[in-house]
Every structure is written in structure tokens, then in C-alpha cells.
Amino acid sequence: MKRVALIAGATGVLGRAVCRELYAHGTRVACGYATRHQEAETLAAELSGFAVELHPGVDLAETMRTVTGHHGGLDILVNAAGVNHEGSAAALGSEEWRSVLDINLDFAFRLTQAALPPMLRRHYGRIIHLSSIAGRVGGRGQINYAVSKAGIERMARVFALEVGRKGITVNCVAPGVIVSDMTARIRAEYGEALLSHIACHRFGKPEEVAKAVAFLAGEDAGYINGIVLPVDGGMGI
């Protein structure tokens, strides 16, 4: 029986890569989108899946009923949704702070809660959150982003502790500097300085992150629980 995966943030660079990688492993994919409806529909058609609206404003319980009704269950949740609004820590406004925490942490928490009932019914589940190296080392202008990613890692560990005995694992993948729109500015401005801190001396590819996610989502990772897997080329060793 094919496994069923729901990917939040499926229209982002990393989300698309994860969708395609899981599909290549024989997984049925539900592509969660926030605003890029047509992109999600196109991706879903490519992967013989379907698109579902998925953001803080939707009824997450209803979303889970839609996914399980479409595919008969839910085995894998991948949270690749995330935003980053840069600003000085000393001057960051409450709106910029809250908007990032709302998506990157609060939504991740509620999404995990919503995914648990169908997994608990089947005594099986794989939940993977995309964190970031920023959760470990921080970064200028990224206090909201760094805090949200550090929080997601601690959150995942608590969930892992509480539901591991139910056959559900909860892990994080923490990318370093990956070639994407989100990192375009820092790669352009600080490229050489960043590379000097990366043991592999190159930036990562979205597909490399997706392969790490696919591993944690697979059967071979059944005894891996509550970890943060860096995919950063050895940045900050």
C-alpha cells in the first residue's frame, strides 16, 4: 500500500523538491499551499496528487479529513512552510516579530496537533519539520526567524517524546544555505564569507534537503526519533 504524505509549503523551493522526492519513492502526495493555488494544482497534477489550501487561516481538522478522505489515511507530514522578515533585533517591530512566529512556530505546532489523530488511529506516522541552521547559530537581522526555528526543534523533541510509543516519529531537518529565493540576497552579498564557513565549500541544493526528508519519512528511519538532522555541508563545524 502506498504511503500518503501531506506537505505544507509545497510551492516553495524546498517544498517542491520534497514533493517530487517523496513521489519518486512511491508516496501519494497532497500539496499544501498558502497563496500559490495554481502552482500547487500544477505540481499536484504532475505528481498524480491533489492540492489543498493549508495556512493558519484554514480549519486544519477539515484539511486532515480532506486528505484522509482522498487517500484513505495520512502517514507522513512534512512542514516546509516558512517565512523570513529581516530586521535589527533592537528595532524589530511587533508585527514583524509576530508574523514570522505565527507561521514558523505557532502554525507548525497546530499542524502537528492536527496530523496526530489520523496517525494515532493507525499507530504509524512520520512527522518532519524543516528547521534551519539559524536555529542553532542565529544570524544578523534574523532574530524572529532564528527563534522560530530553535522553537520548532524543541517542539519536535517534546512531540517525539510523547508520541514515540504510538509508532509516530517526529524529527527536524535543518538546512544550511540552500540555493533558493530566500537565500538569494545573503548569497549575493556574503557569498565568499559564507563559503569560508562551509566545509564542503558550496551551497546546498534543494534536492539534497529533500533526500534527507525522504529518509526520515521512510521505513529505514523507524528508530530515529527527536533528532535535528543538519544538511549544511559542515557549516559552523
Side-chain angles (χ1 to χ4, degrees), residues 5-110:
L6 171 62
I7 293 84
T11 57
V13 171
L14 295 181
R16 287 197 303 271
V18 168
C19 287
R20 290 181 173 127
E21 186 67 24
L22 291 177
Y23 175 74
H25 282 73
T27 304
R28 291 183 289 182
V29 174
C31 303
Y33 67 91
T35 57
R36 300 173 182 174
H37 184 190
Q38 190 54 55
E39 289 182 35
E41 292 285 359
T42 301
L43 179 63
E46 172 193 332
L47 305 179
S48 302
F50 74 99
V52 58
E53 190 174 8
L54 192 59
H55 54 76
V58 304
D59 183 335
L60 292 176
E62 181 60 31
T63 298
M64 298 306 161
R65 285 192 289 270
T66 299
V67 173
T68 56
H70 231 323
H71 287 319
L74 178 64
D75 304 294
I76 301 162
L77 170 69
V78 179
N79 173 31
V83 295
N84 182 21
H85 296 161
E86 294 186 4
S88 163
L92 192 74
S94 59
E95 183 177 345
E96 288 79 9
W97 169 264
R98 190 69 258 167
S99 63
V100 171
L101 271 292
D102 282 347
I103 296 291
N104 293 6
L105 186 55
D106 292 358
F107 177 61
F109 170 66
R110 295 196 299 110

Side-chain angles (χ1 to χ4, degrees), residues 82-153:
V83 295
N84 182 21
H85 296 161
E86 294 186 4
S88 163
L92 192 74
S94 59
E95 183 177 345
E96 288 79 9
W97 169 264
R98 190 69 258 167
S99 63
V100 171
L101 271 292
D102 282 347
I103 296 291
N104 293 6
L105 186 55
D106 292 358
F107 177 61
F109 170 66
R110 295 196 299 110
L111 184 61
T112 303
Q113 283 186 320
L116 285 175
M119 293 181 177
L120 288 168
R121 285 194 292 270
R122 300 172 74 168
H123 300 281
Y124 179 89
R126 300 282 188 267
I127 298 175
I128 301 106
H129 291 282
L130 288 190
S131 178
S132 168
I133 191 172
R136 185 170 81 248
V137 302
R140 287 188 180 88
Q142 293 191 327
I143 187 168
N144 45 7
Y145 186 75
V147 167
S148 71
K149 293 304 184 180
I152 230 175
E153 292 176 4

Side-chain angles (χ1 to χ4, degrees), residues 48 54 56 68 90 108 115 123 139 143 157 162-163 177 180 185 203 232:
S48 302
L54 192 59
T68 56
H123 300 281
I143 187 168
R157 288 186 172 120
E162 293 188 359
V163 301
V177 184
S180 69
R185 185 190 64 79
F203 300 125
D232 59 13

